[in-house]
Structures are given as C-alpha cells and as structure tokens.
Amino acid sequence: MSMQHPSVKVLEKVNFVACQLCALISAFWFRLFLHPSKTSPIIRHVVATLLGLYFAMFCFGWYALHFLVQSGLTYGIMILTGVEHMHKYCLVVALTYLSLCQITRVYVFDYGMYTADFTGPMMVITQKITSLAFEIHDGMARKEEHLTAGQKILAIRRMPSLLEYFSYNCNFMGILAGPTCSYNDYIGFIEGAPRRCRDYKDERKSSSKLRHSEPSPNMEVVRKVTTSFFCLLVFLSVCKVFPVERNIDDNFIANTPFYAQVVYLYLSMLTTRPKYYFVWTLADAINNAAGFGFNGYDSDGSARWDLISNLRILKIEFATSFKVFLDNWNIQTAHWLKRVCYERCPYHPTAATFILSAMWHGAYPGYYLTFLTGIVITLAARAVRHNVRPYFLHSSVHKLVYDVITWAATQIAICYTVIPFVLLSVGPSMKFYSSWYFSLHIGCILVAFVLPVKRRNLPLKDQQKSPVQESLQRHLEATDRTCSQKAKTT
C-alpha cells in the first residue's frame, strides 16, 4: 500500500478549508443576488449544483466523479424499480458503493492517514440518497394512516427531477461537509416556499409579525464562523499535547496510576473533538449564509438557525447520559439512522442501528469495535437511567449529585467507547481495552442483564417511554395536526 507524503496531507486540508471559505462567500452572493424573489428555482438549482461540483473537483480532483456516479446510479434505480421497493435497493446500492470506495481508499491507498478524502462527502450523499428514497416510499407507496407524525412531514409526494436530485446531493453548501437535510426542506429553500411548521411550542409563542418576516442570518453566521475558527485554534494548540496513542504506551501503562490513566484518557479524547466542531460549525454557517437553516423563532422573538445544525457543543461537553451525548453529536446523522433504521427495524433496533452506523463510517476495524461497544454501553445506560435515576429526583441536592456522577461516568464511557475510532486498528484497540481489563464491557453486560428494562415489542419505539414522555408525544402529535391544518388553510 502507498502512503501519502505529509505535504500532500497538508495541501488537501488547506484545499478543504479554502473551498469552504469560498463556499461561505458564494453563499452570501447566492442569497443576495439569486434570491427566490429575483430568480427562478431552475437557475438556483443549476448554480448551486455547478458550484458544488467545481468545489468538489478542486478539492478531490477526478475522484469527485464518484459523487455523480453514485447519485446517477441510484436515481436510475428509483426510476426503474418503482416506489414499492426503491428504498431497499437504494440503501443497499448506495451503501455498497460507499463501502467499496472506503475499502479501496483504506486498504489500497491510504491506511491510517487523516486526509480530506473523497469518501467523506460520499458519506453525506449516501445519507441523502437513502433518506430521499425512504421519503418517496413513504409519500407514494404507503397509506397516510400508517405514517408517524415525523414521516408525514418528510414524505415526498412526487418524484424529483434529475436536476433537483443532483442539486440536493451535490449543492455547494453541503457537498464537502454536509450536513444532511431533508429533501422537502431543501426544495422549500430553493423555491422560497414558506417554512413548514416544525417547532411547536416556540413557534406558537412568537408573534405573527415575526413569523412572516425573513430574518437576516448575518449575526448567526458571524457567531458560527468565530466559533469554528476558535475550535480550530484550540485543536491546533492542544492536539499534540495529549496524543491518544499514549494511552497504549507500555511505559505509560506500567508507571501511571489508574486514576491518572482515566484522567489522561478523558483529556486526550477531549482534544480530538474540536476538529469536528470546526468542520461542522463552519458547514452550518455556510448553509445559513445562503439563507438555509432557519427554524422559527424562540419565545423572545430571536430567530433560530438550527434546522440542520450538526452539534450542540455545550450539551456535548456537559452531557449527563450516553443518550444526551449522542443526541447532540452529529445530529443529522443520528436523525438519518433513526429514520432509516431505528424506526423501521422490527427486531433489535439498537443493535441494527449501531451496525449500520459502523458500516456507513467506513472500513477501519476500530469503527466496528466502537459501535459494538456502544451497543452494550447504551443498553446498560438505559437500564441504569430507568432503575436508578428516579431515586435521585426527590430533591435538588440529590439531583445535583446524580448529575455530577453521571456526567463523569458518561464522559469516561464515551472516551472508552470511541478510542478504537481514533486508533483505527484491532491490535492497538484491544491493547487499550486489555489495559483496562475490559472493565466497562464486563460491567455494562452485567448491568444490562441484572437491571430490568421494558422490552420493545413493536417496530415503532413508543413502548419504553415514560408516562410523561407519552403525554408529551401525544401533545406534539396533536400540535402537528394543528400545524398541518393551518398550513392547508394558508
């Protein structure tokens, strides 16, 4: 196998950042000069697609043709197979094509090299292809009464044109780093259609005057760009101070007390996150600069630009449960996994979702170790929360103690789970787990077996919800029906 020269790695990363900055400038131009009130949707589709392909070619060269091949192949499947089974075929074909590209890149060209590789954008395109196929299936092959409230909102009632399809997959705002968005939201943005009722309580509290205005994203873009480059500065400053590989250094393991190993594990994994914060926050800012991502108003009348945001940094760093961490990390991917797999898999949905996530991420064995570990930790965390948390809710002091303990436990569990994701290979990952005597694996398996948790017997995952959650879900569904009725009358 060949290894890239370090200068090539640096050049690829510089190209990526340069393209994203150009995309940011292009987004402002796109919003100001190609606004829906000034030009037709066709022009907006064409410009967004051509700019996206240009940035992709600049960043990845002829490898960018894979984006067109994958999109064209799956569009042909949609047209030829019909709406009854297209979602299954598109999932298999798109994921297989992505996997073949990932395997080739990893084991033929570039094992272990953290470069701006062309399979990164293909991962986002794969999400878009499969989401679109399932949403067309929901809108054109399933009865309305069989859809959940969320599926009704996202369902697509007509087949997209080829231009719309390529624009959705390859537009300049999201081709390099995403995030994934729903097709209906994207088409609404291109056509300048009124935003659909997506946020319940906040939208009701905002004034009708504010609801019908078109807010400027400028301040939000400035905030997100500032945040992203601050995260980049932090990453460049500290990433080499706490190298993850030191966790498996023989001298470090032999001469460092276990509590110090735990602290170092946390710090070393903490310093890997700002690079993701940088990429995803900048990508969000690009979409906002183009006018995409508006999500209604808060109760105080301030505009929200988080419709397609991919993370919430503070909620990640202060998460007090495994679920809260996952709900705020790579948010759009979590939505995709939920809509494509978790809500539709009749058997072992948690395990199936983690396995799909591992396959989507790539060919490194460490990814599979991470997601297999994630299954047992998720089950254990669910059991602890279900059985232990109620005893700490009787007073604010007890709740604070519970939150502090669960924060520390969550952060260590996350680090323990994802370290193979960084180490990539089986040998180093197993060496780390051996140095910890597989303690969290064993403990979580015991907890999952000992503590009772309500089973999921139906494909839709409403059975494990508490009475409060069920009441809230009923309230949201009722509100959604009200929103739909209002939209029809409007």
Side-chain angles (χ1 to χ4, degrees):
M1 71 187 70
S2 62
M3 297 293 284
Q4 282 189 329
H5 192 275
S7 62
V8 177
K9 288 175 57 182
V10 173
L11 180 61
E12 285 185 341
K13 293 177 181 178
V14 170
N15 284 347
F16 174 82
V17 175
C19 283
Q20 287 295 76
L21 292 178
C22 289
L24 180 65
I25 296 171
S26 301
F28 281 111
W29 172 82
F30 190 80
R31 177 168 59 88
L32 294 175
F33 295 99
L34 294 181
H35 191 272
S37 63
K38 300 178 180 179
T39 188
S40 68
I42 293 178
I43 298 298
R44 284 167 62 83
H45 278 304
V46 170
V47 172
T49 306
L50 291 179
L51 279 175
L53 294 176
Y54 175 77
F55 290 145
M57 290 289 290
F58 182 85
C59 207
F60 306 110
W62 292 107
Y63 287 110
L65 291 179
H66 285 290
F67 308 164
L68 295 177
V69 173
Q70 186 187 31
S71 297
L73 184 63
T74 50
Y75 188 78
I77 291 173
M78 290 181 183
I79 297 298
L80 295 176
T81 59
V83 296
E84 286 290 339
H85 303 289
M86 59 181 288
H87 57 302
K88 301 175 185 177
Y89 296 139
C90 282
L91 177 63
V92 172
V93 171
L95 198 61
T96 300
Y97 193 97
L98 171 66
S99 298
L100 290 175
C101 289
Q102 289 172 328
I103 291 170
T104 302
R105 187 191 71 82
V106 168
Y107 293 105
V108 177
F109 297 112
D110 198 29
Y111 192 94
M113 302 291 281
Y114 286 95
T115 60
D117 68 276
F118 71 97
T119 60
M122 288 184 66
M123 294 168 69
V124 178
I125 293 174
T126 299
Q127 289 184 350
K128 291 182 177 181
I129 289 170
T130 52
S131 295
L132 179 64
F134 276 89
E135 290 160 8
I136 293 174
H137 174 72
D138 289 341
M140 300 178 65
R142 297 178 64 192
K143 294 182 179 179
E144 185 84 6
E145 58 269 22
H146 295 162
L147 303 178
T148 66
Q151 289 169 350
K152 290 176 184 178
I153 291 175
L154 299 175
I156 298 170
R157 309 296 179 182
R158 68 172 181 84
M159 188 68 67
S161 68
L162 187 62
L163 175 60
E164 290 171 332
Y165 187 72
F166 277 105
S167 175
Y168 173 58
N169 287 339
C170 302
N171 66 81
F172 74 96
M173 300 172 295
I175 192 168
L176 297 185
T180 299
C181 60
S182 80
Y183 176 80
N184 283 336
D185 285 331
Y186 179 74
I187 292 298
F189 156 72
I190 290 291
E191 297 178 352
R195 189 182 62 84
R196 290 171 294 118
C197 189
R198 295 285 293 274
D199 291 289
Y200 307 99
K201 58 183 181 181
D202 294 333
E203 193 70 13
R204 291 199 308 274
K205 292 180 181 178
S206 58
S207 69
S208 58
K209 180 179 179 181
L210 288 173
R211 279 202 300 272
H212 289 89
S213 65
E214 184 175 342
S216 170
N218 292 342
M219 291 305 298
E220 185 70 8
V221 172
V222 170
R223 184 187 69 81
K224 289 180 179 177
V225 170
T226 303
T227 300
S228 66
F229 279 94
F230 174 77
C231 292
L232 177 63
L233 181 62
V234 171
F235 174 71
L236 295 176
S237 301
V238 302
C239 66
K240 295 183 179 180
V241 177
F242 301 100
V244 176
E245 290 75 15
R246 193 180 179 194
N247 287 284
I248 56 174
D249 179 74
D250 292 329
N251 185 60
F252 175 78
I253 296 172
N255 299 307
T256 306
F258 184 70
Y259 73 88
Q261 293 184 39
V262 173
V263 173
Y264 186 85
L265 172 66
Y266 170 69
L267 293 175
S268 62
M269 298 305 296
L270 177 66
T271 58
T272 65
R273 293 201 282 263
K275 66 180 178 182
Y276 297 102
Y277 296 165
F278 163 71
V279 171
W280 289 338
T281 306
L282 182 58
D284 197 14
I286 293 169
N287 282 272
N288 293 167
F292 188 31
F294 176 61
N295 197 27
Y297 293 90
D298 285 325
S299 56
D300 61 358
S302 58
R304 293 175 54 188
W305 288 90
D306 60 353
L307 179 65
I308 55 174
S309 294
N310 226 358
L311 77 167
R312 303 181 186 97
I313 296 175
L314 292 180
K315 290 186 178 182
I316 289 171
E317 299 301 340
F318 294 100
T320 57
S321 73
F322 208 74
K323 181 181 184 301
V324 170
F325 188 101
L326 296 179
D327 285 346
N328 293 283
W329 172 268
N330 207 352
I331 296 170
Q332 301 308 319
T333 294
H335 288 338
W336 170 69
L337 290 168
K338 178 182 178 182
R339 294 165 183 165
V340 169
C341 182
Y342 188 80
E343 289 183 339
R344 302 173 192 267
C345 184
Y347 306 107
H348 307 293
T350 299
T353 302
F354 274 107
I355 292 171
L356 174 60
S357 183
M359 294 175 62
W360 173 78
H361 273 89
Y364 289 112
Y367 295 166
Y368 290 85
L369 287 176
T370 285
F371 290 108
L372 290 174
T373 302
I375 294 173
V376 296
I377 291 187
T378 298
L379 295 175
R382 185 181 297 161
V384 169
R385 183 176 178 83
H386 178 78
N387 290 276
V388 177
R389 187 172 182 269
Y391 293 103
F392 288 85
L393 300 180
H394 302 296
S395 72
S396 58
V397 176
H398 291 168
K399 178 65 165 57
L400 178 61
V401 171
Y402 178 84
D403 287 342
V404 171
I405 294 174
T406 53
W407 171 83
T410 296
Q411 297 301 322
I412 297 305
I414 288 290
C415 295
Y416 181 91
T417 302
V418 303
I419 193 168
F421 200 95
V422 179
L423 296 175
L424 300 178
S425 301
V426 173
S429 301
M430 297 304 289
K431 183 177 181 179
F432 170 79
Y433 283 146
S434 297
S435 70
W436 280 53
Y437 301 102
F438 294 90
S439 53
L440 263 67
H441 286 90
I442 296 171
C444 289
I445 291 173
L446 292 175
V447 167
F449 273 106
V450 171
L451 296 181
V453 177
K454 293 180 182 178
R455 293 185 177 275
R456 298 168 183 256
N457 297 319
L458 297 178
L460 298 179
K461 311 303 176 291
D462 294 327
Q463 289 77 8
Q464 283 196 335
K465 295 177 181 176
S466 66
V468 175
Q469 290 173 313
E470 292 176 349
S471 176
L472 177 61
Q473 179 67 26
R474 288 194 297 270
H475 170 70
L476 293 181
E477 290 177 354
T479 310
D480 178 68
R481 289 192 295 271
T482 304
C483 291
S484 301
Q485 293 172 0
K486 289 182 178 180
K488 291 179 181 178
T489 57
T490 303

